[in-house]
Amino acid sequence: MQPPGVSQEDQGIVEQHGGLGLAQRSGLDDGIAYLRAAYPQPDWRAHRNFGQLAEFWLNVHSALRGEAADVAQVVDAFRGGKVDAAGFQRGFVPRFNGFLRHLDQHHRIEDAAYFPKFRALDQRMIVGFDLLEGDHVLIHQRLVATVDAARALLLALSSPGDAALRAADAYATGADEFADLLRRHLADEEELVIPALLEHGERPLL
């Protein structure tokens, strides 16, 4: 349940783009998402350049949203008294760990393989993909806090009184904030990635 640490270089990305940071923005402006108007989301799948990579990218994002919602549903069931401590632990741990692995793998592949290729397609993309990398750092930091809250919740399951419910409430508050950030990031990333794939085709990214 512990993601890797954040490097000084990555922290610098967050500070460099602080004014456009994930926690501060409500979306991307037209100067960053400069292909968005030319490729509106309702038309993506009908475009001749919409291929397997674009479909895969959207499916991964959909899966991450679904996994986050599944984890939240298990927590809400426990908080609402619909499942006992043992049942909660059985449902929560594998779902939470699976979500962590999936998110970490996706971001690692993006940072190491795909984002550098997008930057090379057009100089105008550099700011946007630097911004997405900065998002990854903030998401990681919030994820570490969420992991800590999950550990505290699991430890509290064996405590007397309402300690477990209080821990579940604390976890849910932080996890909900984290989920909001993740949804914002995924939506913004799609508005950069998919139009770029439609504009340039998928071959340069493979």
Side-chain angles (χ1 to χ4, degrees), residues 4-196:
V6 176
S7 70
Q8 282 189 323
E9 180 180 359
D10 285 342
Q11 184 60 41
I13 294 174
V14 173
E15 294 170 357
Q16 180 182 357
H17 299 286
L20 299 172
L22 184 57
Q24 288 78 42
R25 71 178 191 259
S26 58
L28 297 175
D29 64 42
D30 292 340
I32 295 175
Y34 64 93
L35 293 172
R36 178 172 52 200
Y39 301 98
Q41 185 171 355
D43 300 337
W44 285 352
R45 283 184 164 83
H47 194 277
R48 59 184 173 81
N49 282 342
F50 186 90
Q52 292 182 347
L53 181 57
E55 186 69 55
F56 174 75
W57 212 293
L58 293 177
N59 286 342
V60 169
H61 281 194
S62 178
L64 288 170
R65 292 183 183 102
E67 289 169 6
D70 287 345
V71 173
Q73 187 175 30
V74 174
V75 176
D76 287 344
F78 178 63
R79 296 170 71 200
K82 298 177 182 178
V83 63
D84 63 12
F88 165 72
Q89 186 165 356
R90 287 194 301 271
F92 176 76
V93 171
R95 286 175 174 82
F96 187 69
N97 283 336
F99 170 65
L100 290 183
R101 285 194 300 270
H102 194 183
L103 181 61
D104 183 59
Q105 289 168 0
H106 181 56
H107 283 178
R108 284 176 180 272
I109 291 171
E110 288 178 335
D111 289 343
Y114 286 115
F115 285 3
K117 292 180 179 180
F118 277 110
R119 289 186 181 94
L121 289 176
D122 188 328
Q123 291 291 308
R124 290 174 293 175
M125 291 187 186
I126 292 175
V127 172
F129 284 93
D130 282 353
L131 192 64
L132 293 180
E133 279 196 0
D135 290 355
H136 288 181
V137 178
L138 178 60
I139 287 169
H140 173 85
Q141 293 170 340
R142 297 296 179 88
L143 190 57
V144 169
T146 305
V147 168
D148 290 342
R151 286 181 173 143
L153 170 54
L154 293 174
L155 287 173
L157 293 177
S158 58
S159 300
D162 63 353
L165 288 178
R166 284 188 280 108
D169 289 344
Y171 167 86
T173 298
D176 287 348
E177 293 174 357
F178 170 74
D180 287 342
L181 290 176
L182 180 61
R183 284 190 291 267
R184 173 77 271 151
H185 167 73
L186 294 177
D188 290 348
E189 182 173 294
E190 289 167 5
E191 289 192 339
L192 292 178
V193 167
I194 305 303

